[in-house]
Amino acid sequence: MTRSFQALFRLAVRMHLSCLALASAAFPALGSAQSADAIPAKYRDVANRIIAAAQADSAGAWNRIAELSDRFGHRFSGSQALEQAIDWTVTTMKADALDNVRKERVMVPHWVRGTESLELVAPRRQLLPMLGLGGSIATPAAGITAEVMVVASFEELTQRAAEAKGKIVLYDAEWRDYGYNGAFRRQGAVAAAKVGAVASLARSAGPYSMRTPHTGNMSYDSTVTKIPHASVTAEDAMMMRRMIARGEKVRVTLKMSARMLPDAVSHNVIGELKGREKPAEIVVMGGHIDSWDVGQGAMDDAGGVVAAWEAIRLLKKLGLTPRRTIRVVGWTNEENGGRGGQAYRDAHQSEVHQLAIESDGGVFSPLGFGFTGSAEARKLVEAVGTLLTPIGAGRIGPTGGGADIGPIMQTGVPGMGLEVDGSRYFWFHHTDADTPDKLDPKEVQRCVAAMAIMAYIVADLEQGLPR
């Protein structure tokens, strides 16, 4: 995932304020038949049926995550594996008898990692695990050999700027959170180039490591020289810091053959449960079908796509058809461009969307949903949340959204993000360790139940969510 919920919240609030007058006309005030107080009693039996059915299917969703992950592996934008996974998803959704199954074309960035290596050459020789960061340029063919300068923050780099020229800057920042530590990945090359560094390295953004480097997107500034940028493990970052603290000079050779190719054709993949009364009104939910080019992309984010997909399958199995259409989307190119979410907005912004729900935090034990929308709509979704307390997922947080639904939220659509126990998420995020075994089948099924209940009830309300 690539955009903070806080940024999405600010965007959504501005849109809600600017559209409030129009929205109030399009979405009338609640009638007594749709009071928040009435929702728990009206839908309790349905919610309990969904929970029971989800928990009875002890590993159905997990098996599908594993099949998608094992069959195609990682699914990076521009890759054949991604398009094969999308085609398989279309075929399998049709076999599941979902409605209106289709692909929608999206042009996506195509960065190729190529071969790469990082070798410690002084004070001793050792190959170090590393991953080039997405969008980085290559090194010269012979690589870049230079002394390493370790800093703990951008502030320290600024204070020691005179020492950086001709060196490789290593950001060794202890874990705080993804926003703080991810900044060294995203902005580190620009800051290092400004003080004359020839390359930069960032300690992996995670609280736990078994020498597992993390990849992810990085950025350049057109006014600053571009330098190669890569990730190293926490263990090796700390080792190089210790060596330097002892008075030793640390030198490494970085080799990267990364390149950016012309944009490639990809697709969003879509399936639906068509509404019985208002099929043109949509509750959309899903995750991103692409992944980084390491691991298997099981947690990030095959799990999010499958949880939404399985939620529709579960509703069909129970014979539950809401008033409005529930649409599941596997968005493409969330990881290094966000083109899928933008293309979805452009293709579907004329439709009436009641709610957008995203799952992109791993399908671990669900805690509830974050929600961004009007106060009146919040009362309704909080009432729905009470029906999720049997699976520990009843909390409705102050803000919700996600990178893929962010663009449609900018048009005024309320947004939700599935919130889970994320204590282990950044152990595996964007690493070779993102594989299906990290997910608990029972937790996945609870995520399916949470998505199914929230989507079904909102889609079945007599009146739309107030804007």
Side-chain angles (χ1 to χ4, degrees):
M1 70 187 151
T2 58
R3 291 177 60 183
S4 71
F5 286 172
Q6 290 86 352
L8 286 168
F9 175 64
R10 289 192 293 270
L11 280 171
V13 166
R14 287 197 294 269
M15 286 303 307
H16 288 320
L17 291 174
S18 64
C19 296
L20 187 58
L22 289 174
S24 61
F27 292 84
L30 296 178
S32 59
Q34 191 182 265
S35 70
D37 292 343
I39 286 175
K42 181 175 181 180
Y43 289 102
R44 182 169 286 109
D45 288 346
V46 168
N48 288 339
R49 285 178 61 203
I50 292 171
I51 290 170
Q55 293 184 324
D57 186 6
S58 60
W62 187 91
N63 286 334
R64 182 153 281 180
I65 293 167
E67 182 175 3
L68 172 60
S69 303
D70 291 343
R71 185 184 291 262
F72 304 104
H74 54 73
R75 304 168 301 281
F76 197 42
S77 290
S79 70
Q80 184 179 36
L82 173 59
E83 298 314 304
Q84 290 174 337
I86 289 168
D87 288 340
W88 174 85
T89 302
V90 167
T91 299
T92 311
M93 282 184 171
K94 288 180 177 178
D96 290 342
L98 269 62
D99 301 317
N100 299 325
V101 176
R102 61 200 185 275
K103 300 191 299 184
E104 294 183 349
R105 179 184 168 105
V106 183
M107 296 302 294
V108 301
H110 190 188
W111 180 78
V112 177
R113 177 178 302 282
T115 58
E116 56 185 17
S117 65
L118 179 68
E119 184 178 11
L120 179 70
V121 296
R124 60 180 175 81
R125 302 192 77 91
Q126 181 186 353
L127 281 172
L128 305 179
M130 57 82 71
L131 285 172
L133 293 167
S136 176
I137 64 169
T139 65
I144 295 173
T145 300
E147 183 179 345
V148 174
M149 171 184 172
V150 179
V151 297
S153 65
F154 290 126
E155 291 76 15
E156 183 181 352
L157 178 63
T158 299
Q159 293 165 4
R160 299 173 57 198
E163 304 173 44
K165 188 173 182 179
K167 294 180 181 176
I168 295 176
V169 168
L170 166 60
Y171 299 97
D172 177 34
E174 292 187 8
W175 175 256
R176 292 189 195 176
D177 56 57
Y178 188 55
Y180 176 80
N181 293 84
F184 299 105
R185 184 195 83 202
R186 293 186 294 270
Q187 303 160 21
V190 173
K194 284 181 178 179
V195 294
V198 293
S200 50
L201 304 170
R203 172 172 165 169
S204 288
Y208 176 78
S209 176
M210 294 186 72
R211 294 195 83 203
T212 42
H214 295 221
T215 192
N217 230 19
M218 53 82 65
S219 62
Y220 288 118
D221 183 327
S222 61
T223 67
V224 178
T225 301
K226 294 181 179 180
I227 60 174
H229 192 36
S231 169
V232 298
T233 70
E235 295 93 330
D236 291 332
M238 290 186 285
M239 176 188 71
M240 287 186 273
R241 176 182 286 280
R242 291 193 301 269
M243 288 174 168
I244 292 171
R246 296 187 191 107
E248 297 173 306
K249 285 193 175 182
V250 173
R251 291 175 63 81
V252 298
T253 297
L254 175 67
K255 293 183 179 180
M256 297 172 61
S257 62
R259 63 196 188 280
M260 185 67 77
L261 300 178
D263 284 359
V265 176
S266 188
H267 303 85
N268 290 332
V269 57
I270 295 174
E272 296 175 347
L273 174 58
K274 188 175 180 180
R276 69 180 189 274
E277 290 182 10
K278 300 179 179 181
E281 297 183 11
I282 309 297
V283 170
V284 63
M285 63 178 178
H288 61 87
I289 190 75
D290 68 305
S291 74
W292 275 102
D293 58 339
V294 294
Q296 293 177 258
M299 180 193 74
D300 183 22
D301 187 31
V305 176
V306 170
W309 177 2
E310 288 291 302
I312 285 185
R313 282 221 304 163
L314 183 60
L315 294 174
K316 287 179 67 69
K317 178 181 177 181
L318 294 174
L320 295 171
T321 304
R323 285 182 170 85
R324 298 170 186 82
T325 294
I326 302 175
R327 175 180 293 162
V328 58
V329 182
W331 285 282
T332 196
N333 185 233
E334 187 271 352
E335 292 292 7
N336 68 325
R339 302 271 187 89
Q342 296 162 16
Y344 179 85
R345 174 202 57 203
D346 294 345
H348 297 279
Q349 61 185 326
S350 63
E351 296 175 329
V352 178
H353 283 77
Q354 297 296 319
L355 178 66
I357 308 173
E358 183 167 337
S359 172
D360 188 18
V363 279
F364 299 104
S365 186
L367 304 176
F369 293 88
F371 176 73
T372 293
S374 70
E376 293 82 0
R378 173 170 288 278
K379 292 177 183 177
L380 295 174
V381 298
E382 286 177 345
V384 178
T386 66
L387 300 173
L388 299 173
T389 53
I391 54 172
R395 184 175 73 192
I396 304 297
T399 60
D404 287 312
I405 65 174
I408 198 73
M409 287 177 65
Q410 291 173 30
T411 70
V413 176
M416 302 188 85
L418 180 66
E419 295 186 348
V420 302
D421 175 3
S423 56
R424 293 179 292 125
Y425 181 72
F426 289 108
W427 292 13
F428 314 118
H429 178 252
H430 294 183
T431 75
D432 274 315
D434 183 359
T435 51
D437 54 282
K438 306 307 186 303
L439 300 172
D440 182 327
K442 293 180 180 178
E443 293 181 352
V444 176
Q445 289 302 132
R446 292 201 294 274
C447 290
V448 171
M451 298 281 278
I453 291 167
M454 184 59 70
Y456 174 80
I457 296 176
V458 171
D460 197 58
L461 294 175
E462 293 178 18
Q463 296 170 332
L465 281 185
R467 297 273 180 95

